Amino acid sequence: ILRHWFGSIPLGTDRRRRNFIYCLTDGEQINTVSNAEEYIQKAETFIKTNVHKKISVSDVAKYIGIDRSYLTRLFNEYKKTSPQNYIISLKMNTAALYLKNTNASVTETAQSVGYYDTHIFNKTFKKQFGVPPTTWRQKQIWEQSIIGK
């Protein structure tokens, strides 16, 4: 019965949900926001820990123990981005640091962030930074040479 009533409250009415839970618990405060924030924190930790692997939103949701669509809603609400975009952005930023601070090839860099298809890595990197990884690295080297002098 509770699931029926709780499920019938529209998703966009958080105040109604909180009031409903408040009534069910005889006024005991339940902090649902902290649960959501805890899920986000666990997701971020999992993604950062596994940035070197090929991971999906489903992998993250499964690790946390929540539904994939719920994880997506949480990310959209709290991070203002989807979990998939968060994963890609973190991987591309990690790859950029790797390109900047090592002499590793683009293929090695791609593999270091869980991309085993260099073409897809190049395309994704270019989408994020506006230029392919090789060009980005050359620009970084050039900028360092100017700043260093």
Side-chain angles (χ1 to χ4, degrees):
I1 266 182
L2 293 179
R3 184 172 275 186
H4 170 74
W5 283 102
F6 186 70
S8 70
I9 299 171
L11 291 176
T13 56
D14 289 332
R15 177 187 270 172
R16 286 188 202 161
R17 281 182 185 214
R18 274 182 256 147
N19 289 342
F20 181 73
I21 292 171
Y22 185 80
C23 290
L24 287 178
T25 59
D26 291 330
E28 182 182 329
Q29 294 280 339
I30 294 178
N31 191 352
T32 56
V33 173
S34 67
N35 288 339
E37 290 172 347
E38 185 179 331
Y39 290 146
I40 294 290
Q41 186 177 26
K42 284 181 180 180
E44 288 178 312
T45 301
F46 179 80
I47 294 165
K48 288 174 184 175
T49 303
N50 293 286
V51 72
H52 63 284
K53 296 178 183 175
K54 184 175 182 174
I55 56 172
S56 67
V57 176
S58 294
D59 295 333
V60 179
K62 184 177 179 181
Y63 172 78
I64 297 169
I66 61 174
D67 184 66
R68 185 179 121 341
S69 61
Y70 181 57
L71 179 64
T72 299
R73 273 200 329 263
L74 290 177
F75 261 80
N76 286 332
E77 183 178 340
Y78 288 91
K79 295 302 221 177
K80 307 299 182 216
T81 189
S82 71
Q84 183 63 34
N85 286 341
Y86 183 88
I87 292 168
I88 291 169
S89 181
L90 182 65
K91 285 179 176 282
M92 292 302 108
N93 288 325
T94 302
L97 286 173
Y98 200 70
L99 287 167
K100 184 177 180 178
N101 297 318
T102 72
N103 291 323
S105 70
V106 172
T107 300
E108 291 170 325
T109 301
Q111 291 174 354
S112 76
V113 292
Y115 280 81
Y116 296 98
D117 183 329
T118 307
H119 176 72
I120 293 173
F121 172 77
N122 286 336
K123 186 177 175 182
T124 306
F125 192 95
K126 184 176 181 179
K127 185 176 179 182
Q128 175 101 10
F129 293 102
V131 293
T134 305
T135 305
W136 187 89
R137 175 184 264 166
Q138 290 169 347
K139 183 180 176 192
Q140 296 301 309
I141 291 169
W142 181 79
E143 288 176 358
Q144 277 302 111
S145 70
I146 291 176
I147 294 171
K149 290 185 179 180

